Amino acid sequence: MTKNGEQALIQVNDLKKIFGENEVLKGINGNIQTGQVICVIGPSGSGKSTFLRCLNMLEQPTSGQIIFDGKDLTKFTHKEVATLGERIGMVFQSFNLFPNMTVLDNMKLAPKKVKHMMDQEATEVSLKLLDRVGLKEKANVYPSSLSGGQAQRVAMARALAMNPQVMLFDEPTSALDPEMVGEVLEVMQELANEGMTMVVVTHEMGFAKKVADEVWFMADGYIQEKNTPDQLFDHPENERTKEFINKII
Ligand code: ADP
Ligand code: MG
């Protein structure tokens, strides 16, 4: 529960993930409210991707709870987990578009297959979203002819076509040439402005400062510090956070 008694959209309780001997997440706690933008930062290898992947059950947590919309995802059956893609969208560092399908067919695939949307409706929804990310004219091309920035915008539109309740982003701009980072961050900012709930793992501190409601600093298996971007970047409290911030700024 939050201060005003509302239930968080996602509540993470003592989440642990162990790979063999490697205890990657040692007890993550946090609440994500509807409409909030959370940016997760931290050193490479600290478990940021693992955390995101646990949030949508791409990775089975070792223990702990992920309460999403009142239900504990860690208790879900395989069948229930398979339906999570409709409600939790994810955008990866590498765009993961199917190379043998046009942009439009990439977009339509999940809405048709998972949501059983009719072809015409799937086309309409997809074209509207492509327009929104500025790529309507690319509907009939293959992903190989897109720039990295365009491919990532298509990947975002594709995730949005499922009308998810929350969007997870795992370093969406890390694989991009620098001149393409801006166009992708811009779409993300618009999405945030429209009220989308977002969890964004990023090294783009400028974006985090501008867009995040909260920044979570992850290191050594824990969220070491959670705060507003102003506080976390300008007045970090935790020693580990200070060290990291000093290195990157
Ligand atoms: P980050 O995204 O912060 O760079 P990751 O979550 O990718 O960190 O990785 C954290 C640690 O978990 C690393 O030591 C990595 O080797 C390990 N790890 C991640 N995924 C797997 C996996 N599927 N199997 C075994 N180890 C993994
Ligand atoms: Mg990662």
Side-chain angles (χ1 to χ4, degrees):
M1 293 284 180
T2 62
K3 274 175 259 164
N4 55 14
E6 265 179 72
Q7 201 174 29
L9 179 62
I10 305 176
Q11 229 180 302
V12 181
N13 298 328
D14 202 23
L15 175 68
K16 295 182 183 170
K17 179 65 188 178
I18 305 171
F19 293 110
E21 309 255 285
N22 188 4
E23 194 173 9
V24 176
L25 305 179
K26 298 179 182 170
I28 303 289
N29 292 288
N31 286 332
I32 299 157
Q33 312 296 334
T34 300
Q36 246 188 346
V37 177
I38 307 287
C39 283
V40 181
I41 63 170
S44 172
S46 59
K48 303 180 300 296
S49 294
T50 302
F51 172 57
L52 272 199
R53 292 168 60 79
C54 283
L55 283 184
N56 66 357
M57 296 297 287
L58 282 179
E59 209 69 77
Q60 175 74 44
T62 305
S63 65
Q65 292 178 315
I66 299 163
I67 315 288
F68 172 59
D69 210 8
K71 297 208 181 68
D72 186 357
L73 301 186
T74 66
K75 302 277 188 308
F76 269 28
T77 62
H78 283 299
K79 216 171 156 185
E80 287 172 308
V81 167
T83 67
L84 274 180
E86 290 179 61
R87 307 174 63 197
I88 306 179
M90 179 130 173
V91 173
F92 302 87
Q93 185 176 333
S94 55
F95 331 115
N96 293 7
L97 298 172
F98 297 108
N100 57 332
M101 283 181 202
T102 65
V103 163
L104 184 60
D105 286 338
N106 261 282
M107 300 267 314
K108 284 161 66 175
L109 190 67
K112 283 176 74 171
K113 209 166 142 180
V114 183
K115 291 204 141 178
H116 308 292
M117 212 180 263
M118 300 298 285
D119 188 75
Q120 193 186 340
E121 190 190 355
T123 301
E124 279 166 20
V125 168
S126 300
L127 289 176
K128 208 153 124 195
L129 284 165
L130 279 178
D131 195 27
R132 178 160 157 199
V133 300
L135 291 171
K136 202 171 176 183
E137 78 285 359
K138 298 288 184 188
N140 296 312
V141 308
Y142 285 86
S144 59
S145 72
L146 300 174
S147 70
Q150 290 170 338
Q152 194 58 301
R153 283 187 281 152
V154 170
M156 266 190 263
R158 183 178 60 170
L160 291 171
M162 298 297 275
N163 198 20
Q165 280 168 278
V166 53
M167 287 280 287
L168 311 179
F169 295 86
D170 193 0
E171 300 196 23
T173 59
S174 300
L176 299 178
D177 291 333
E179 73 270 23
M180 292 170 189
V181 169
E183 66 195 61
V184 170
L185 294 180
E186 206 173 296
V187 175
M188 291 170 65
Q189 167 136 36
E190 279 167 19
L191 207 53
N193 292 346
E194 287 162 20
M196 177 61 80
T197 310
M198 295 165 54
V199 184
V200 185
V201 173
T202 187
H203 294 294
E204 295 292 334
M205 300 304 157
F207 175 83
K209 275 189 181 171
K210 204 158 54 170
V211 182
D213 295 297
E214 265 182 25
V215 179
W216 296 4
F217 171 67
M218 187 182 274
D220 307 328
Y222 296 101
I223 308 282
Q224 302 281 348
E225 185 165 349
K226 265 191 207 110
N227 223 325
T228 60
D230 286 348
Q231 279 296 325
L232 193 122
F233 289 116
D234 298 335
H235 308 286
E237 287 161 14
N238 173 292
E239 286 307 317
R240 198 74 188 72
T241 319
K242 280 183 199 167
E243 198 185 310
F244 182 76
I245 301 287
N246 283 335
K247 259 190 230 155
I248 56 167
I249 289 179

